[in-house]
Amino acid sequence: MANSFDTNEIERKARAASFQDGLMEIFAAVVLTIIAIAWVASPSLVGIAAAFVVLFGWRVVERFKRRITYPRIGYYQEKAEDAATTGRGMLIFIGGAIAVMIGAVVVFGDVTDASEWRRAAPLLSGLTLAGGFWYAGERSGLIRHRVIAVYSVVTGVLLWAFSSGATYEPLVWHLLGLALPLMAIGTWALEHFIRTHPLPHGAIDA
């Protein structure tokens, strides 16, 4: 009987294996912390921090993967997605999150009061970050990414519901409150990955 191969399943398992090292979570925790610190220092620095992350962030992650991950499980290059489709999906989701934030201010607040928009900032942050982690969960198949997505939404809603909107401090707390468990999960995953995936004989650990 001829062997049949489910190429989609093989690709899914290879992709999931490439996410097991926890580097994505550690990277996300560092990014959120940098953005939170930049926001406290001066909101104008947030754009600079975000641009730095976009330009150099994944290069740093890839360098660590080449030193830690690929020598243990092999190199995996994900099949390229259609950039237009992915970009359109991201814009639609972000637009939906903004619509939810505006709806929350219209229904539960006063659109002419600036504090209401500051109060809704954690809600927008929670929804947009949740979308990113849910998408990562769809790609990786790892339940922890979906748990992080739900946690992001729940904490965003709670901070919106119980903050006064006097400052952007609740937004900073949301970013840091997400960065802390991400760093813990990522560190645990990385330690577990290194322990359960020893280097092949003769390879030199980074």
Side-chain angles (χ1 to χ4, degrees), residues 104 108 116 119-123 154-165 170:
F108 299 102
E116 292 291 344
R119 189 166 77 96
L123 178 61
V154 170
T155 53
V157 170
L158 290 176
L159 285 167
W160 163 69
F162 294 104
S163 65
S164 65

Side-chain angles (χ1 to χ4, degrees), residues 27-28 30-32 34-35 46-60:
F27 172 68
V30 171
V31 169
L32 293 177
I34 291 173
I35 293 176
V46 174
I48 299 174
F52 180 83
V53 169
V54 170
L55 292 174
F56 302 106
W58 284 114
R59 296 181 187 179
V60 175

Side-chain angles (χ1 to χ4, degrees), residues 23-48:
L23 290 174
M24 191 197 89
E25 289 86 349
I26 294 174
F27 172 68
V30 171
V31 169
L32 293 177
T33 302
I34 291 173
I35 293 176
I37 293 172
W39 198 285
V40 171
S42 174
S44 61
L45 296 176
V46 174
I48 299 174

Side-chain angles (χ1 to χ4, degrees), residues 134-181:
W134 193 268
Y135 176 75
E138 290 293 315
R139 302 296 294 167
S140 69
L142 298 176
I143 188 64
R144 68 174 184 253
H145 292 153
R146 295 186 176 92
V147 171
I148 293 168
V150 173
Y151 172 78
S152 178
V153 173
V154 170
T155 53
V157 170
L158 290 176
L159 285 167
W160 163 69
F162 294 104
S163 65
S164 65
T167 67
Y168 280 109
E169 187 175 309
L171 174 61
V172 174
W173 282 116
H174 180 260
L175 297 175
L176 294 177
L178 197 55
L180 183 61

Side-chain angles (χ1 to χ4, degrees), residues 40 51 53 99-100 102 125 128 157 161 189 198 201:
V40 171
V53 169
V100 171
I102 293 173
S125 172
T128 53
V157 170
H201 179 70

Side-chain angles (χ1 to χ4, degrees), residues 63-147:
R63 179 170 296 183
F64 276 100
K65 281 186 173 291
R66 289 184 183 277
R67 294 170 64 89
I68 297 172
T69 309
Y70 300 149
R72 290 175 164 83
I73 64 172
Y75 178 74
Y76 169 72
Q77 181 169 358
E78 196 166 355
K79 183 169 61 178
E81 295 183 327
D82 180 67
T85 301
T86 302
R88 185 163 50 249
M90 290 175 60
L91 289 175
I92 291 173
F93 183 87
I94 293 172
I98 293 173
V100 171
M101 180 192 71
I102 293 173
V105 174
V106 170
V107 174
F108 299 102
D110 179 3
V111 295
T112 63
D113 187 351
S115 67
E116 292 291 344
W117 298 102
R118 287 192 294 268
R119 189 166 77 96
L123 178 61
L124 179 61
S125 172
L127 291 172
T128 53
L129 291 173
F133 283 107
W134 193 268
Y135 176 75
E138 290 293 315
R139 302 296 294 167
S140 69
L142 298 176
I143 188 64
R144 68 174 184 253
H145 292 153
R146 295 186 176 92
V147 171

